[in-house]
Amino acid sequence: MSRAIAGFSKLSKEQKIDWLANEYFKSPEETSALLRKYWNTDDVLQKLHDEFIENTISNFYLPLGIAPNFTINGREYTIPMAIEESSVVAAASKSAKFWATRGGFKATVLDTEKIGQVHFMYTGDAEKLTTFFEATKQEFFTDTETITKNMQKRGGGILNIELRDKTALIPNYYQLHATFETVDSMGANFINSCLEQFSKTLREEALLYNAFTEDEKNIHVVMSILSNYVPNCVVRAEVSCPIEDLNEDKNISPEEFANKFINAVKIAEVEPYRAVTHNKGIMNGIDSVVVATGNDFRAVEAGVHAYAARNGQYSSLSHAKIEHGIFTFWLDVPLALGTVGGLTTLHPLVKFSLEMLGYPSAQELMQIVAVAGLAQNFAALRSLTTTGIQQGHMKMHLMNILNQLEATDNEKQQAVKHFEKNTVSHSAAADFVNHLRTIDPTRIEEDFLQ
Ligand code: MEV
């Protein structure tokens, strides 16, 4: 029987849940109760979340953690991180503390230019189109004045508009390639509104251009949209210290550690299989701050990975070197972020995160986010090149395993103590908890270790 439904969006939230629970679930009552359990008891807050998207039936929680002890450009921060993966917040905090005593993180915004394009088809003489564009260029600025007025007051606006001939790729394909400064907003709405006006101006002006033939006047706009590839909206985060200061681990000398670390980065620079995982670790830090501050992590992800492949092969976003006895580790990353507009004044926890960060400008947030990525990468590489990541990761993951096993608080406490000295695995944790449940809990350590 078909599950197609007409007019679904018009149903109330309750009706949507009833339909869903009855159509797809063995126990509709339990399903409905589960979804309601995740509703906020504050009706106003719930309505706010309901209205973020369409067909909301419940809320999907992510933990919000904080990583203290970050020093960035001499200023102290506690960084908010919304992420479900264990170890990430702990790793960021550990890196923050490590570098706080070694000069902290430095971050520099290299550029803040955003990009948008009008993609169109023009059948005719390319030189004539260029002459038309040069003659009309000012109109694109004039016709968007109502859109750009406020942005200009804030120091932003349209930076430039170029005509690009793409006919070598697709016959008759051209672009208006425009660059923008959007100051503290991510700028998607501003850019898209400008582009849609450019598209209108382009079609209207072409119709009035006497030098065009009838065919040439008939410009077909395919689409007008910003690009999430922002290779000129880039921030650099960096740490450095004399090699001998890398002296945290008693089992490895600072020199050996620095060399192993640099080799690990070099491998990620040349080997795409490793680069993807290496960059994934960076994105653990980046995405969690991007989400906590209400920014668009899909846009950031798409742009970052395109940037990582900009030279024709996917490669590491971070780099490391030793020069004159100084170890330096850095990361360049494109980040189109906003601290005004979007969710920033709507989502209470986004407002909380921004207040905690001291209401940063978009440029300052770019620096904080890039530092979170570098901190994460440092922690991952440090573990990978010394103890391996599973030791720390499984310790952090232990609580998830214990929750899966429905361990009581008492069982959790004993398990945490036991696994301080023993290797964590799902089966070891299950054995431990099962054993606890069959014996006198006061004797567990003794019995289990025999
Ligand atoms: C896990 O989420 C991230 C790491 O795999 C990153 C890396 O390998 O560099 C640990």
Side-chain angles (χ1 to χ4, degrees):
M1 212 176 68
S2 165
R3 281 169 169 160
I5 176 165
F8 182 73
S9 65
K10 306 236 161 38
L11 300 181
S12 70
K13 187 158 84 169
E14 285 76 6
Q15 287 169 324
K16 284 174 186 159
I17 291 176
D18 284 349
W19 174 82
L20 179 77
N22 285 311
E23 280 294 329
Y24 286 89
F25 293 87
K26 277 200 290 295
S27 169
E29 292 75 24
E30 266 179 39
T31 300
S32 165
L34 171 76
L35 293 172
R36 284 159 204 264
K37 201 153 108 185
Y38 280 85
W39 287 2
N40 202 291
T41 48
D42 177 338
D43 289 345
V44 176
L45 201 59
Q46 186 52 54
K47 191 159 182 294
L48 182 74
H49 282 74
D50 287 350
E51 290 175 358
F52 282 146
I53 60 163
E54 309 74 35
N55 297 344
T56 308
I57 50 168
S58 192
N59 305 308
F60 192 95
Y61 294 161
L62 275 185
L64 176 65
I66 55 165
N69 295 319
F70 272 92
T71 304
I72 305 173
N73 296 339
R75 190 170 159 190
E76 288 176 339
Y77 293 89
T78 293
I79 296 186
M81 304 179 89
I83 186 160
E84 84 301 342
E85 184 176 330
S86 43
S87 306
V88 171
V89 177
S93 307
K94 229 172 145 189
S95 273
K97 223 168 162 188
F98 181 92
W99 285 105
T101 55
R102 292 164 177 82
F105 292 84
K106 290 176 191 58
T108 320
V109 172
L110 304 179
D111 207 342
T112 57
E113 182 190 277
K114 315 268 169 62
I115 291 164
Q117 297 168 320
V118 177
H119 305 270
F120 67 94
M121 299 296 177
Y122 161 83
T123 315
D125 181 58
E127 266 179 40
K128 240 199 246 179
L129 183 66
T130 307
T131 314
F132 159 75
F133 173 71
E134 289 307 330
T136 320
K137 192 168 171 180
Q138 192 48 44
E139 295 301 317
F140 293 106
F141 289 93
T142 311
D143 290 356
T144 44
E145 264 167 11
T146 50
I147 307 168
T148 56
K149 206 165 68 191
N150 277 339
M151 188 59 88
Q152 274 168 354
K153 274 193 210 141
R154 292 195 270 130
I158 303 161
L159 300 176
N160 193 21
I161 313 169
E162 274 175 41
L163 173 70
R164 291 196 173 174
D165 183 335
K166 294 282 171 176
T167 54
L169 301 174
I170 300 175
N172 308 324
Y173 171 34
Y174 294 84
Q175 297 171 345
L176 295 183
H177 181 98
T179 49
F180 301 85
E181 168 57 58
T182 61
V183 202
D184 285 333
S185 64
M186 190 258 193
N189 281 332
F190 169 73
I191 295 173
N192 288 334
S193 299
C194 288
L195 293 171
E196 290 191 2
Q197 180 56 54
F198 292 166
S199 147
K200 206 162 163 244
T201 302
L202 177 71
R203 281 177 285 126
E204 286 173 1
E205 293 295 326
L207 287 175
L208 300 174
Y209 193 61
N210 288 332
F212 277 161
T213 63
E214 282 312 304
D215 264 359
E216 287 167 340
K217 281 183 180 178
N218 212 356
I219 284 178
H220 290 279
V221 171
V222 179
M223 58 192 159
S224 310
I225 187 73
L226 94 166
S227 174
N228 291 122
Y229 184 41
V230 283
N232 295 326
C233 185
V234 175
V235 55
R236 173 168 297 171
E238 181 179 334
V239 283
S240 65
C241 72
I243 295 187
E244 59 272 21
D245 289 356
L246 296 167
N247 59 349
E248 279 266 298
D249 192 332
K250 303 269 174 299
N251 299 316
I252 183 168
S253 75
E255 291 74 21
E256 197 187 338
F257 169 69
N259 286 323
K260 252 185 130 178
F261 191 100
I262 285 175
N263 276 338
V265 175
K266 274 192 193 146
I267 290 168
E269 284 170 344
V270 299
E271 164 55 57
Y273 283 98
R274 174 56 202 151
V276 171
T277 317
H278 177 97
N279 289 347
K280 188 274 180 188
I282 294 172
M283 298 316 287
N284 280 343
I286 289 184
D287 281 342
S288 53
V289 190
V290 167
V291 172
T293 55
N295 276 282
D296 181 345
F297 66 93
R298 289 85 55 207
V300 167
E301 282 279 344
V304 166
H305 296 299
Y307 187 77
R310 69 194 179 287
N311 296 324
Q313 177 177 301
Y314 191 89
S315 177
S316 169
L317 293 161
S318 64
H319 309 280
K321 64 178 179 188
I322 298 174
E323 257 173 27
H324 312 298
I326 304 288
F327 169 85
T328 306
F329 178 47
W330 76 98
L331 162 86
D332 285 353
V333 71
L335 290 171
L337 301 177
T339 54
V340 299
L343 278 191
T344 56
T345 48
L346 282 179
H347 197 301
L349 288 176
V350 169
K351 287 201 260 181
F352 158 89
S353 293
L354 292 173
E355 182 172 352
M356 192 171 105
L357 292 172
Y359 298 111
S361 64
Q363 289 205 27
E364 192 181 349
L365 186 60
M366 285 168 77
Q367 296 175 345
I368 296 166
V369 169
V371 162
L374 188 72
Q376 209 57 46
N377 195 210
F378 180 77
L381 293 180
R382 189 154 73 132
S383 296
L384 286 167
T385 54
T386 55
T387 56
I389 56 152
Q390 280 312 82
Q391 194 187 71
H393 186 75
M394 290 309 282
K395 283 239 154 74
M396 295 293 172
H397 191 52
L398 176 62
M399 207 42 77
N400 290 342
I401 301 174
L402 292 170
N403 281 330
Q404 272 171 28
L405 297 168
E406 298 183 353
T408 62
D409 284 348
N410 186 34
E411 287 168 344
K412 283 179 186 169
Q413 253 178 27
Q414 301 209 48
V416 168
K417 187 152 179 280
H418 171 76
F419 284 106
E420 271 169 16
K421 295 197 203 96
N422 293 281
T423 306
V424 180
S425 70
H426 196 283
S427 61
D431 285 351
F432 183 81
V433 170
N434 287 335
H435 196 68
L436 264 188
R437 288 170 183 171
T438 56
I439 60 144
D440 172 1
T442 55
R443 297 191 49 219
I444 178 61
E445 277 297 314
E446 203 180 307
D447 283 13
F448 196 80
L449 295 174
Q450 270 170 13

